[in-house]
Amino acid sequence: ETGVTQTPRHLVMGMTNKKSLKCEQHLGHNAMYWYKQSAKKPLELMFVYNFKEQTENNSVPSRFSPECPNSSHLFLHLHTLQPEDSALYLCASSHYTEAFFGQGTRLTVV
Amino acid sequence: AQSVTQLDSHVSVSEGTPVLLRCNYSSSYSPSLFWYVQHPNKGLQLLLKYTSAATLVKGINGFEAEFKKSETSFHLTKPSAHMSDAAEYFCVVLYNQGGKLIFGQGTELSVKP
């Protein structure tokens, strides 16, 4: 248990579905992140939020839409995904010298 | 630009021999550095972290890492590899300015019997 909780742990969705991934931390961290980990590829940083403001968007397609309603919660809204979007999506949070990762959501797009 | 480089994408050792996984980072005032391990189809597990205390950091499962500021390195070592150490290892740097958490590309460790 790292203090960063991701739900769901596994998700299978069709290309026309809309779903959301959730990340939650009550560690008092001010920065939160979404990463994508595809098979045989390096981890890709998708989005960074600092104090609820998006500070980084690494050219992520618009079918991925992040939302950070408060400093404890981070969402990744998914719509009209492609099979190549199947991956492990990791959430992290950090504050000064601390960083923690969630266990990830394993997403399969069919 | 802030970056983290893991110098080897794949390392293969024999069981019982030493392990060295290399990591270099771009210089920054007081970064925090971490090593994580990921076993197949699992999440990330923290091995150890450096946060400006002792430069030699001891972690779980017999792993250690030494922070060398002059070389901007944070290499991970273990005196004797075990079969269960076979996994992907990630060096991660937290640049405190701007709260940026950056991953290295990962090193796959194989352990031969």
Side-chain angles (χ1 to χ4, degrees), chain A residues 13-17 36 38 61 63-64 78-87 89 107-110:
Chain A
M13 61 185 288
M15 289 189 282
T16 58
N17 291 159
K36 176 184 178 184
S38 304
R63 57 186 184 270
F64 295 92
L78 316 170
H79 64 96
T80 59
L81 293 193
Q82 305 298 312
E84 61 264 29
D85 297 322
S86 298
Y89 289 84
L107 173 67
T108 304
V109 181
V110 297

Side-chain angles (χ1 to χ4, degrees), chain A residues 34-53:
Chain A
W34 279 117
Y35 294 87
K36 176 184 178 184
Q37 187 179 36
S38 304
K40 304 298 182 186
K41 288 186 179 179
L43 264 141
E44 302 170 49
L45 176 63
M46 301 175 73
F47 302 104
V48 183
Y49 278 81
N50 270 283
F51 296 102
K52 303 187 300 177
E53 299 296 320

Side-chain angles (χ1 to χ4, degrees), chain B residues 11-74:
Chain B
V11 170
S12 183
V13 301
S14 297
E15 191 175 21
T17 64
V19 175
L20 170 63
L21 306 182
R22 298 181 293 167
C23 174
N24 285 93
Y25 63 95
S26 59
S27 180
S28 174
Y29 180 72
S30 298
S32 297
L33 300 114
F34 308 80
W35 276 99
Y36 284 87
V37 61
Q38 186 178 35
H39 289 92
N41 298 312
K42 299 285 187 183
L44 295 167
Q45 181 184 17
L46 179 66
L47 282 176
L48 49 81
K49 69 175 183 178
Y50 167 79
T51 56
S52 76
T55 56
L56 182 62
V57 182
K58 293 187 184 299
I60 62 171
N61 301 336
F63 283 96
E64 292 184 347
E66 187 171 7
F67 173 69
K68 291 188 176 179
K69 188 174 181 178
S70 60
E71 298 176 11
T72 60
S73 70
F74 190 56

Side-chain angles (χ1 to χ4, degrees), chain A residues 33 35 37 50 56 96 99 101, chain B residues 38 94 96 98-101:
Chain A
Y33 311 74
Y35 294 87
Q37 187 179 36
N50 270 283
E56 189 143 348
Y96 292 112
F101 290 88
Chain B
Q38 186 178 35
L94 175 60
N96 300 332
K100 201 160 183 177
L101 192 60

